[in-house]
Amino acid sequence: MENITESKIIGVPTPRIDGPLKVSGAAMYASDHHFPGLLYAWPVTATIASGAITAIDTAPAEAIPGVIAVYHRANIGKLFRVPPATGFTMIIDEKRPPFEDDTIRYYGQYVAVVVAQTVEQARAAAESIKVTYTKTPVSIDPKLLGTPLSTPKPDEKSKRGDTAAALSSAPIKHDAVYKLPTETHNPIELHASVAVYDGQKFTLYETSQAVMNHRDVMAAMLGVPPEQVQVITRFLGSGFGGKLWPWPQALIAAACARNLKRPVKLVVSRQMMFQSVGHRPAIDQRIQLAAEPNGKLTAIQQDYVNHTSILDDYDEGCGEITPFLYSTPNLLVTAGLARRNVGNPTAMRGPGAVPGLYALESAMDELATKLKIDPVQLRLLNEPTLDESLNIPFSSRHLTECLTTGAEKFGWSRYNPTPGSMKGTGDQAGLTLGWGMAACSWLAARSETESSVELRQDGSARIACGTQDIGGGTYTVLAQIVSHETGIPLEKIEVVLGDSALPAGPISGGSWVTASVTPSVLQAAQNATKLLVQAAATSEGSPFKGRKPEDLEFTDATVRLKGQPNTAVSMSEILRSANISSVSGTGKSDTTMGPKPKLSFHSYGAQFAEVTWQPEIARLRISRVVTVIDAGRMINPRAARNQIEGAVVMGIGMALFEETMYDPRTAAPLNNNLADYVVAVNADTPSIDVTFLDHPDFNLNALGARGVGEIGLAGIAAAIGNAVHHATGTRVRSLPIRIEDLLEPAHLA
């Protein structure tokens, strides 16, 4: 497939084609679906975090008018575990079905479910059920490093050279622990499942970022072939990774629909969102750096421990970026898991890299201070020429340009490294300025994908792929690809996604979709146009009958003799003359994630943040952010910029606000609502300047495109933390940064 270097629509800022559906209310989300005879389910949740069920009294619930059934371990029916060999899967309690045993492992674990005529009846009945428990000691200790791990020793993730020796002999070194709290995904759309069962087939309307995987997991756990399960997610009210994998409510709703042979809707409450559908785990990271006086790194060691649930082995992967971001002859990354009485952790926007870069880039800033070297210059001094972790070339890496461009746009040449030395002028008069920066990176990958493109007699086109649009603009990007290849205007292109009955597509995670689906759609469109040209050359009634297909070309939705625009005949006329309603082409893309890659595929970026500090009233604000991103070619810069801006706002929440707090006595999430779990809002959003370098990565696909969903969040928290230190002189090494931290001399570096 030839690389696409020029286009009238690829790279053009384009409004989302699904926008009118969303703003008019016509877009159907999972919980919007309603069917005749629909019933409502409400789970009963455990009020302890460790112990066992001894009795469940369902009589009060069964006496409530409108209650149809109460299900629990004894009567839910047969449900199965997911086979160990299954690929991308996650469901609570390590691929175990809900209600499998009487053991309670975290607060809020589902122990029963009520099905009723209305949601109010179901909730009232669920709250009336009396569950008796025996309690065992709770493990919810927030300290992770230095505590017992789930394995005899930490897992060695990456190693080269002799880190211990280099650290021991280094003239300049840094050693500190950086702590991140539990963060909970809080998309506006709650997790929801609407299950329909017709006696043979399950049709499941889900909040899923991976309809294909969801189908396979549900089929395995329900004990039916995959062809008897269809999963549909046309639109998603965001997910941030929390909707990548099936959670218990999906299987519970399907089992209830199977048992009652009526449609069942189960919407997880906001409170339950803090308990049973994942979170980013709490993480402790120790970073040790060694350097020569000139700033050249001689060693990096990163030891991290994240909490996981009692049964699961979720590894956050904080060392994903560390082995190749900077050049150093000695490197060691280790990982450990500490079991706690919490629900399963899971991926949250930028898993691994985002928390890992918070620690690494904070440590690099502290090292720059010790070396008396500019933080930008320190990173430039340690730019590698190849991926030293795998000893392979980079496919495309423009981190140096990100750093220099960002520094220029931000005005970094005016940076004075002395904390508290920079004062605002104009509207910022009387305020102390703090400047901070961080480098960032994120995996670029392509996974196996199939797509189809149909060219229709009415002049329209239809794209189909079993991936999903979770709000990032996939509908529009795919329409742009087909419009580029065919000349058909966007308003005449139908994009069909979010259905497991379509050709198999990738998960919407890891920023994989754009890199994976666009080449398959491009190939499908090219194959469809080839069939149209063939029809023009062979069909009776065609003005090109008898011509060789190689003498014809397809352009601007017409077939013509090569180089002769005056011979153009519309696609519609060709199909009409051939008496063909449509032609369809299919396309595939393969994966780049094999065991022995030849190139290192990653995106890069630089984050610059300014904070204002008013010590008289302890008032801290983020005033502006400049972010420069190297993520390949931007197919739709408008949607891509939205992604980065949203990620920056999420990074502000990570740096200053977000933390799920657990009661140390019960392990219950205490701030399990949007009033007490504080996230960044419009008032916290500064000026955000986004620049894309727009260097195509043609090694990844013919469009040179990579995803941008997660790269924008990487490094933001570190840049803000570094800016806070620069403004206040106080180094805070645990998130979120609180005003109380800035008043404590004990936190001074």
Side-chain angles (χ1 to χ4, degrees), residues 322-668:
T322 308
F324 63 83
L325 189 59
Y326 300 117
S327 176
T328 180
N330 305 290
L331 179 135
L332 177 63
V333 176
T334 71
L337 305 179
R339 298 204 182 280
R340 298 291 184 263
N341 286 112
V342 296
N344 277 31
T346 192
M348 186 172 182
R349 196 173 193 171
V354 165
L357 281 166
Y358 162 68
L360 178 62
E361 290 302 282
S362 298
M364 286 290 285
D365 194 71
E366 296 200 60
L367 181 65
T369 299
K370 290 181 178 180
L371 290 164
K372 294 182 172 53
I373 292 178
D374 181 272
V376 174
Q377 186 62 26
L378 178 62
R379 288 160 174 84
L380 294 173
L381 283 170
N382 290 284
E383 174 69 8
T385 57
L386 79 167
D387 183 334
E388 294 177 355
S389 66
L390 300 173
N391 199 32
I392 57 176
F394 294 110
S395 173
S396 175
R397 176 175 168 128
H398 301 278
L399 178 55
T400 293
E401 187 178 350
C402 289
L403 292 164
T404 55
T405 301
E408 181 180 356
K409 291 178 72 67
F410 192 79
W412 192 262
S413 61
R414 303 193 307 274
Y415 175 71
N416 182 335
T418 303
S421 63
M422 296 183 67
K423 304 299 180 180
T425 59
D427 292 343
Q428 295 179 327
L431 303 176
T432 300
L433 302 183
W435 286 8
M437 56 80 53
C440 63
S441 181
W442 180 254
L443 171 72
R446 191 180 67 232
S447 62
E448 293 181 355
T449 301
E450 297 180 22
S451 300
S452 68
V453 171
E454 179 186 18
L455 305 179
R456 296 163 164 169
Q457 194 181 99
D458 64 1
S460 67
R462 179 182 186 269
I463 307 166
C465 181
T467 190
Q468 47 288 307
D469 188 333
I470 65 172
T474 303
Y475 280 107
T476 308
V477 164
L478 300 187
Q480 287 178 269
I481 300 301
V482 170
S483 181
H484 160 82
E485 190 61 29
T486 65
I488 298 172
L490 291 179
E491 61 270 20
K492 299 192 73 174
I493 298 175
E494 177 190 12
V495 184
V496 183
L497 307 173
D499 190 333
S500 64
L502 299 173
I507 66 172
S508 292
S511 302
W512 295 350
V513 169
T514 297
S516 304
V517 181
T518 53
S520 72
V521 167
L522 179 63
Q523 186 183 71
Q526 291 173 344
N527 287 337
T529 60
K530 288 177 182 177
L531 290 175
L532 191 68
V533 167
Q534 186 176 1
T538 58
S539 299
E540 296 294 337
S542 167
F544 303 109
K545 177 71 167 66
R547 292 280 190 173
K548 295 180 180 180
E550 53 266 32
D551 295 333
L552 306 176
E553 61 183 359
F554 186 94
T555 185
D556 294 330
T558 66
V559 177
R560 68 188 190 188
L561 293 172
K562 284 185 177 179
Q564 300 183 36
N566 61 326
T567 64
V569 178
S570 71
M571 174 181 81
S572 298
E573 181 58 34
I574 294 294
L575 291 173
R576 274 195 294 270
S577 66
N579 195 27
I580 298 173
S581 63
S582 64
V583 291
S584 294
T586 59
K588 293 184 178 182
S589 60
D590 56 9
T591 183
T592 57
M593 295 179 285
K596 293 183 178 181
K598 295 181 180 179
L599 294 171
S600 176
F601 291 101
H602 293 87
S603 292
Y604 298 91
Q607 312 281 16
F608 291 79
E610 177 184 85
V611 304
T612 60
W613 171 240
Q614 193 170 0
E616 298 86 352
I617 58 172
R619 188 175 190 267
L620 179 74
R621 290 290 185 270
I622 301 172
S623 50
R624 63 188 178 106
V625 170
V626 170
T627 177
V628 180
I629 301 297
D630 166 35
R633 185 186 203 174
M634 295 299 108
I635 294 178
N636 185 357
R638 182 170 176 168
R641 181 166 283 101
N642 293 159
Q643 286 285 291
I644 301 300
E645 290 169 340
V648 168
V649 175
M650 195 168 175
I652 293 169
M654 179 182 180
L656 301 183
F657 304 122
E658 294 194 44
E659 177 183 8
T660 304
M661 302 176 184
Y662 293 97
D663 188 323
R665 301 161 299 174
T666 64

Side-chain angles (χ1 to χ4, degrees), residues 144 180-183 279-283 306-308 314 316 345-346:
L144 300 172
L180 295 101
T182 299
E183 292 180 81
H279 57 267
R280 196 197 299 279
I283 309 162
N306 65 258
H307 84 210
T308 190
Y314 178 80
E316 176 68 14
T346 192

